[in-house]
Amino acid sequence: MLEEPAEGVVTAMSLASEAEAVAQDLARQLIHPHLGFVLFFCSAEYDLQALGQALEQYFGGVRLVGCTSAGEITPQGYGRNCVSAVGFDHRSFSIASALVDEMDRFGLIDAQQLVERLVQDCRANSLAPIKGHSFALTLLDGLSSREEVVLAALGAAFGSIPHFGGSAADDHHLKHTHVYCEGRFHAGAAVVVLVNTALDFEVFSTHHIVPGSEKLVVTRADNTSRRVLELNAEPAADVYARLIGVTPAELDLRLFAAHPLAVRLGDSYYVRSVQRVNADRSLSFYCAVENGIVLTAMRTGPLLPNLDALFQRLEARLGPPLLTIGCDCFLRRLEIEGDAQVLGRTSEILRTQRVIGFNSYGEQFNGMHINQTFTGVAIGRRGGNGGR
């Protein structure tokens, strides 16, 4: 058992392959007299039922939430086939959480009631006013196809409370994604977390994607399944493959990462990443797509300068980070892993900035569901006027 942390958070990771050994590792690193909450991210390769039971056993009455990932961000930088976690001291953080066990039935009234409960729970610690001193984190089933509906309801209910999150993943299998809450892993579900603290923080989102000149119109789509059957009145896979100079048979995750598409709203572009090619030459997407929308062909710009600039700006405002919770799109990581030098430098930045997080199937930022971003919250070591 550790001594109580001096700064309010303790980070941990486990490379063990067996569920009980993972729980033992994390408990040994995290448990202290003032531990109030644990957030974790784990590989989907674990026996999730056994892992859920072991975590419940070793952490007793401490609340834990988490999700499966497509890669972990650990205290040492990028990791794989492991568990990364952070424990919060209840004297510095008042944290409340709730499970949405049926995303397909979740509406505005449900969101309002859920947020009211979270606010009441956070106020019980009397750490800081809710307004200006709270942020929300959501972890959603990344294969539910319900992220936009849930986020729209939660965004309205949160009001001025800044919000970010990520969609649970499963190590690129695209089969089973899970969130963890109330002692076990759940599919088709979401976890909502409200964090109240007197420490300064900032919720952020960044990407290195830049627009090209080519435009594609969605002329036939199945909104429910996020499947685009036709672009510019031709089979979607044929048009997309021709755009990037390959055959439909050559399309894969790395090409999707290098050649994203995006919707323009005002002066901003929001990436709609391709998930896979289907047998009928349609394209499945990670975000919502609809008939009639115009997609802009995008390209990737320099990633490292973008990441450096983000953290320089955050540190100028907050000082050296106490903790950064990050949701990093798994397509970004695929791109990064294509260059060993970029991989090493990115991992070093994440380690230096004290990032704990995961590679996600989609990110959430103030009610928006987006792709190919690095989204999260940076928490400073000093208190002040609250975050934004």
Side-chain angles (χ1 to χ4, degrees):
M1 181 179 295
L2 293 177
E3 296 296 323
E4 60 191 67
E7 297 183 308
V9 300
V10 179
T11 60
M13 69 174 295
S14 175
L15 291 166
S17 57
E18 298 300 323
E20 184 166 358
V22 169
Q24 285 179 332
D25 275 355
L26 297 182
R28 184 177 64 253
Q29 296 172 69
L30 294 176
I31 290 179
H32 62 82
H34 299 286
L35 180 64
F37 192 87
V38 172
L39 174 67
F40 74 90
F41 308 100
C42 69
S43 167
E45 303 300 325
Y46 286 102
D47 180 334
L48 296 182
Q49 182 176 355
L51 181 59
Q53 292 171 348
L55 290 171
E56 183 76 357
Q57 174 187 348
Y58 279 88
F59 280 87
V62 177
R63 287 170 301 147
L64 288 86
V65 306
C67 70
T68 56
S69 69
E72 298 74 53
I73 306 175
T74 80
Q76 302 303 315
Y78 276 142
R80 282 231 184 260
N81 301 316
C82 63
V83 181
S84 182
V86 55
F88 296 87
D89 190 319
H90 68 76
R91 296 170 300 176
S92 299
F93 297 90
S94 182
I95 303 179
S97 60
L99 175 70
V100 177
D101 57 0
E102 292 184 317
M103 291 174 68
D104 55 350
R105 297 174 181 265
F106 189 77
L108 179 58
I109 294 176
D110 302 305
Q112 291 170 333
Q113 293 173 344
L114 182 149
V115 171
E116 286 175 7
R117 292 196 304 271
L118 295 178
V119 168
Q120 290 173 0
D121 288 348
C122 281
R123 279 185 173 141
N125 264 9
S126 302
L127 286 182
I130 296 297
K131 186 175 181 180
H133 298 273
S134 305
F135 62 86
L137 162 67
T138 49
L139 302 174
L140 311 182
D141 182 331
L143 297 179
S144 67
S145 298
R146 296 290 295 173
E147 292 98 323
E148 285 83 9
V149 175
V150 173
L151 289 172
L154 286 172
F158 282 135
S160 62
I161 296 174
H163 159 224
F164 78 99
S167 298
D170 66 345
D171 297 291
H172 306 181
H173 298 309
L174 298 174
K175 291 182 178 179
H176 304 290
T177 55
H178 294 80
V179 298
Y180 180 91
C181 189
E182 299 177 355
R184 66 185 183 88
F185 286 90
H186 306 260
V191 176
V192 186
V193 181
L194 184 64
V195 179
N196 177 243
T197 182
L199 297 172
D200 278 345
F201 63 83
E202 183 173 332
V203 172
F204 63 83
S205 182
T206 190
H207 65 79
H208 65 301
I209 309 298
V210 294
S213 58
E214 299 91 345
K215 306 290 183 182
L216 305 175
V217 180
V218 177
T219 49
R220 187 175 165 219
D222 180 344
N223 299 351
T224 304
S225 63
R226 296 176 176 167
R227 196 159 55 97
V228 173
L229 290 87
E230 292 182 357
L231 291 167
N232 298 346
E234 296 183 60
D238 294 358
V239 175
Y240 178 73
R242 187 164 65 243
L243 173 74
I244 65 176
V246 300
T247 67
E250 293 176 284
L251 293 173
D252 61 14
L253 288 175
R254 293 191 184 277
L255 287 173
F256 299 153
H259 302 279
L261 302 173
V263 176
R264 182 175 179 176
L265 297 176
D267 293 330
S268 300
Y269 289 88
Y270 297 92
V271 174
R272 295 290 182 262
S273 294
V274 179
Q275 184 184 90
R276 62 175 172 261
V277 180
N278 302 305
D280 61 358
R281 292 146 68 197
S282 64
L283 297 174
S284 292
F285 282 72
Y286 283 100
C287 279
V289 287
E290 298 177 353
N291 281 316
I293 65 170
V294 177
L295 297 171
T296 300
M298 310 288 281
R299 59 182 174 83
T300 56
L303 187 146
L304 286 174
N306 173 266
L307 201 59
D308 275 326
L310 167 72
F311 283 118
Q312 287 172 12
R313 181 182 63 77
L314 290 171
E315 190 161 340
R317 177 177 174 248
L318 302 172
L322 171 65
L323 174 73
T324 305
I325 304 172
C327 306
D328 187 27
C329 183
F330 88 107
L331 292 173
R332 284 169 55 92
R333 181 155 174 180
L334 278 178
E335 177 188 345
I336 289 166
E337 288 177 336
D339 185 320
Q341 187 173 356
V342 173
L343 176 61
R345 176 64 183 137
T346 304
S347 202
E348 178 187 348
I349 292 172
L350 297 174
R351 182 171 60 252
T352 303
Q353 297 299 325
R354 298 174 65 91
V355 181
I356 296 293
F358 74 114
N359 296 111
S360 53
Y361 277 174
E363 300 76 57
Q364 300 122 40
F365 182 66
N366 290 336
M368 291 285 295
H369 183 211
I370 48 184
N371 294 132
Q372 283 186 251
T373 72
F374 178 64
T375 296
V377 64
I379 303 172
R381 299 173 185 269
R382 61 177 185 265
N385 296 322
R388 60 186 178 192

